[in-house]
Amino acid sequence: MGPPGVGKGTQAERLGNYFSIIHLSSGAILRNEISKRTELGIKAKQFMDVGKLVPDDLLLNMMENRLVQKDCTKGYILDGFPRTIRQAEGLEQILINQDQELRGAINLFADEDALIQRLILRGQSSRRRSDDTPDVIKNRQRVYWQQTAPLLDFYRSRKQLLKVNGLGSIEIITQRIIDVLNE
Ligand code: AMP
């Protein structure tokens, strides 16, 4: 978990490699649905284009279908999901059904201005995404603080929140995450 631009995607991919488990990004799954022009992709695009969250029902359905697949039995790292309390509750239920347990919710935190700068730079690079424009970035930040930040309390109250400083080199941040997971 963490605000847009904090490096969730980069770190989730590295952790997936380190632990030899699959890395699942809800945003990447949605972008794939959009490129295939599926019904889900067409519905999701309207929300993603303006930086809003895709409705919970669509997301939960999509993630549940993904998490019951065979390659998830060994474990997985989630990136970008859950993003609302309702999604977190849905994930709890999926885990119960699959007889799995949450190891922890990693909260990458960083100064907001530094993150906006990072996203604007990504918007000018080859990794550019159509939602990396200044207006949409601002909206995604706002949505994070309004709808996703309450999840920090959700996981804190369950003693599952692992806080990690998200500023520093990519390698150092990966090591910090591995360290809190091993504590
Ligand atoms: P991301 O790649 O995680 O930054 O997600 C890009 C966009 O996909 C977000 O701005 C949302 O519109 C949508 N999205 C990704 N994950 C979720 C989620 N868990 N719930 C709702 N919308 C999501």
Side-chain angles (χ1 to χ4, degrees):
M1 297 185 55
V6 78
K8 296 187 293 289
T10 304
Q11 293 301 332
E13 197 181 324
R14 290 171 61 83
L15 291 171
N17 289 336
Y18 180 86
F19 290 110
S20 299
I21 54 174
I22 186 163
H23 154 221
L24 295 173
S25 151
S26 50
I29 299 176
L30 288 167
R31 284 186 285 278
N32 187 38
E33 295 286 327
I34 292 176
S35 70
K36 290 193 297 185
R37 296 199 167 76
T38 62
E39 198 183 326
L40 169 62
I42 291 164
K43 281 189 191 151
K45 188 175 186 317
Q46 316 160 39
F47 298 93
M48 292 170 74
D49 279 349
V50 289
K52 284 191 184 166
L53 291 187
V54 174
D56 286 334
D57 287 336
L58 289 181
L59 246 291
L60 276 168
N61 208 0
M62 173 181 99
M63 293 309 291
E64 177 156 26
N65 288 337
R66 185 64 192 85
L67 295 177
V68 298
Q69 286 176 30
K70 246 207 167 127
D71 56 358
C72 291
T73 46
K74 268 201 329 162
Y76 43 82
I77 175 145
L78 292 171
D79 157 21
F81 172 85
R83 264 200 175 65
T84 63
I85 299 278
R86 173 120 189 273
Q87 292 180 18
E89 288 169 349
L91 175 62
E92 278 190 331
Q93 198 52 52
I94 296 171
L95 292 172
I96 291 171
N97 296 346
Q98 297 295 107
D99 201 17
Q100 290 177 324
E101 263 177 48
L102 181 69
R103 173 64 188 81
I106 300 157
N107 173 217
L108 281 182
F109 63 91
D111 174 69
E112 216 178 326
D113 291 338
L115 299 180
I116 293 178
Q117 274 318 107
R118 260 201 218 171
L119 282 171
I120 290 173
L121 284 179
R122 184 171 77 184
Q124 294 161 354
S125 77
S126 56
R127 291 167 52 242
R128 179 176 203 286
R129 279 173 23 185
S130 59
D131 57 354
D132 281 341
T133 59
D135 279 352
V136 180
I137 289 171
K138 271 193 211 120
N139 217 13
R140 284 163 52 210
Q141 296 279 352
R142 200 167 32 235
V143 164
Y144 175 79
W145 292 109
Q146 284 172 357
Q147 289 173 271
T148 305
L151 274 190
L152 300 177
D153 276 339
F154 179 94
Y155 286 117
R156 196 177 290 121
S157 69
R158 284 164 170 72
K159 308 228 179 312
Q160 287 171 321
L161 192 70
L162 306 171
K163 287 190 75 176
V164 174
N165 179 354
L167 282 186
S169 75
I170 290 176
E171 292 78 14
I172 286 177
I173 298 168
T174 308
Q175 193 54 52
R176 284 182 196 143
I177 299 173
I178 293 169
D179 289 346
V180 296
L181 285 168
N182 286 331
E183 264 168 23

